[in-house]
Amino acid sequence: MPRTRASIALALGAALLASLPASLTLTDPASATARYSVTALEFTVRAGGRTCLVDADLYRPAGVDRARPAPAVLATNGFGGSKSDGSTEAIGRAFAERGYVSLVYSGLGFGRSGCPISLDDPAIDGTAASGLIDFLGGGRAADDGTRADFVTLDGAGDPRVGMIGGSYGGAVQLATAAVDHRVDALVPLITWNDLAHSLDPNNAHGTAVPGVFTWQWTNGFYLVGESRPLTWANLDPSRISSLTCLHFVTKACDTIKTLNSGRYPARATAEALAYARGVSPVSYLNRVKAPTLLVQGQADSLFNLDEATATYRTLEARGTTTRMIWQSWGHSGGSTNPAAGELDLARGDLESSYVGRRIVAWFDRHLRGQRGADLGPAFAYYRDWITDPARTYATADRLPALTRAFYLSGDGKLVDSARKVVRGSRTYTNSTVPTSHSESPLSGALGLPDPAPYDTPGTCLGWTGAPLTRAMDVVGAPRATLKVVSPAAERTQDSGDAADRLVLFAKLYDLAPDGTQTLVHRLVAPVRVPDVTRSFTVSLPGIVHRYEKGHRLRFVIAASDDAYFGNRGIKPVTVVGAPGHAGVLRLPVTGG
């Protein structure tokens, strides 16, 4: 990894670590309130061939006992958090106040819980959570002898239990449901479908070629995981993994190091990505039967809307009860400041937001059996151009289809008919350093300024459309079919090292009449081109955006992006447009 990127990654991780106590508002839960009591518990569980200590808090509503049992909610933290961080603690309180028994715990490798970080592996993290479900079902005691004989049962040892949490605390729900079918309902928020794609995305549709490493996101979180002793003293000895990687399981450590190397020989890269995919929902969703309400954030370059969409489509195809909501906030800055009327987990105020009310109804229906609780529409999405918080969500019974096409003309215009394409060719050349910027990951969460997106002339190509005659609403993932010419890339792409293939970044701007351009939520589509001698299709990240009347679309392909690894060597790229042989941009348009 180049020195400049290494130094930036270290600074990013250090800044994130320094901000954690404040940003997560770490506090100790109150020991008791008039509505519920809180008891700190520890559990010793076997997971992944290790003995792991799990640190948890049990929230027990007043009046709930063996004669008057209540269903349970199980939750854990996001990456870098613990049972006591703001949102996790708030989940415990919020559901206890609603009469649910809440058990919130620090995930393995976080807080005071033992064992290394294992990326929500079903065989490890899912198995550990299953041990806590044993406790809720009355089948085992906590280490101090505490037993839970006050949880509603579906059968002997089978508690009525749902799970909720975000990001790292989202994927663990699917991992748990895959190994333990006693789970009755899931609400994963802003989490992933396939870590191999999240950490090393290749948005070239339908290819197995390794992607483009998200070095800023990955190294920031890697350093958070490795630096646990700086933020938590006297850690359980089982947290130590090995000399090569202190606080991650060895395979996770090896995967991160492979991606950071900048070299992607076939065997080593395949093994690394196979591991990341193997511990991801994409590999075990066929075992998930619990009704699942997926909530994903539009402002999220780490786990974008396409992650939830892939999970939704898989579960729906298998007949699993599932719904999906695209809310406003995600990992990219907005998570610390939800828009007006949006769900704020740290406050624990559910009834005041559309998403919160959907979550309450989901659990009331599946855990309390309230048949009148409305599960809501199949699909709902937040619209940031609506100013009334009560009307920001639109609903649909299915995901929008690709309904409108634009063509990449040879003169740099984006035209609405193939008949308007003119012949022409243009070329860009990459530099040895990044020359385009989309986002500095984590900057919003850390309160740091982030420069506006830019592309350096000569290192990108753009196609600009005519002013729109009416507003156009895009809901979903656009697709672009491209053909590029790059003799330098053609000479190296069969070297056996995927790093020698051409890398480019596709993106879609909103160009206002005054010349201001907006990269929607700063999202880009990284591509490692499978074969420059053939056309390929790029899936751009899903968005929800209104292109207003008078605005223009601008489609861009760039040679680099400073949040990702880029090209190895100089690889000039030419794009030719001609009647009958033009690139095509297709959009999922719902209005206008």
Side-chain angles (χ1 to χ4, degrees), residues 326 379 381 383 385 399-401 473-477 543-545 588-590:
W326 289 353
F379 176 49
Y381 54 94
R383 299 170 295 174
W385 60 89
L399 298 177
D473 299 344
V474 176
V475 179
I543 57 173
V544 178
H545 184 70
V589 174
T590 62

Side-chain angles (χ1 to χ4, degrees), residues 192-272:
W192 65 87
N193 171 266
D194 183 0
L195 270 181
H197 177 75
S198 306
L199 305 182
D200 190 56
N202 191 351
N203 284 51
H205 188 66
T207 179
V209 172
V212 187
F213 180 41
T214 58
W215 73 274
Q216 286 195 30
W217 270 122
T218 305
N219 285 320
F221 284 112
Y222 170 71
L223 290 168
V224 168
E226 283 294 78
S227 303
R228 294 287 79 197
L230 298 178
T231 50
W232 291 90
N234 303 317
L235 293 180
D236 187 290
S238 70
R239 290 277 287 274
I240 304 301
S241 175
S242 69
L243 292 178
T244 59
C245 205
L246 288 177
H247 299 293
F248 288 81
V249 295
T250 300
K251 286 187 176 181
C253 186
D254 290 345
T255 296
I256 294 168
K257 290 181 177 180
T258 296
L259 294 175
N260 259 316
S261 71
R263 299 185 61 84
Y264 306 119
R267 181 174 178 179
T269 308
E271 289 177 354

Side-chain angles (χ1 to χ4, degrees), residues 1-6 8 212-213 215-216 428-440 454-460 503 505 507 558-570:
M1 181 166 134
R3 180 179 298 276
T4 54
R5 284 181 169 164
I8 293 172
V212 187
F213 180 41
W215 73 274
Q216 286 195 30
Y428 72 75
T429 302
N430 64 293
S431 176
T432 55
V433 296
T435 53
S436 288
H437 172 78
S438 59
E439 176 193 35
S440 297
Y454 65 82
D455 299 293
T456 303
T459 65
C460 63
V503 170
F505 299 83
K507 60 192 87 173
S560 64
D561 188 288
D562 56 10
Y564 300 82
F565 274 10
N567 284 290
R568 183 160 68 182
I570 302 299

Side-chain angles (χ1 to χ4, degrees), residues 16-22 24-29 42 55-57 77-86 88-89 105-114 117 223-237 239-240 247:
L16 181 59
L17 282 168
S19 75
L20 279 176
L24 296 177
T25 57
L26 305 181
T27 57
D28 291 327
E42 293 183 343
D55 185 27
D57 284 330
N77 52 273
F79 199 95
S82 73
K83 70 173 186 178
S84 302
D85 68 40
T88 311
E89 181 188 345
Y105 69 100
S106 298
L108 298 183
F110 298 102
R112 301 289 180 191
S113 290
I117 299 167
L223 290 168
V224 168
E226 283 294 78
S227 303
R228 294 287 79 197
L230 298 178
T231 50
W232 291 90
N234 303 317
L235 293 180
D236 187 290
R239 290 277 287 274
I240 304 301
H247 299 293

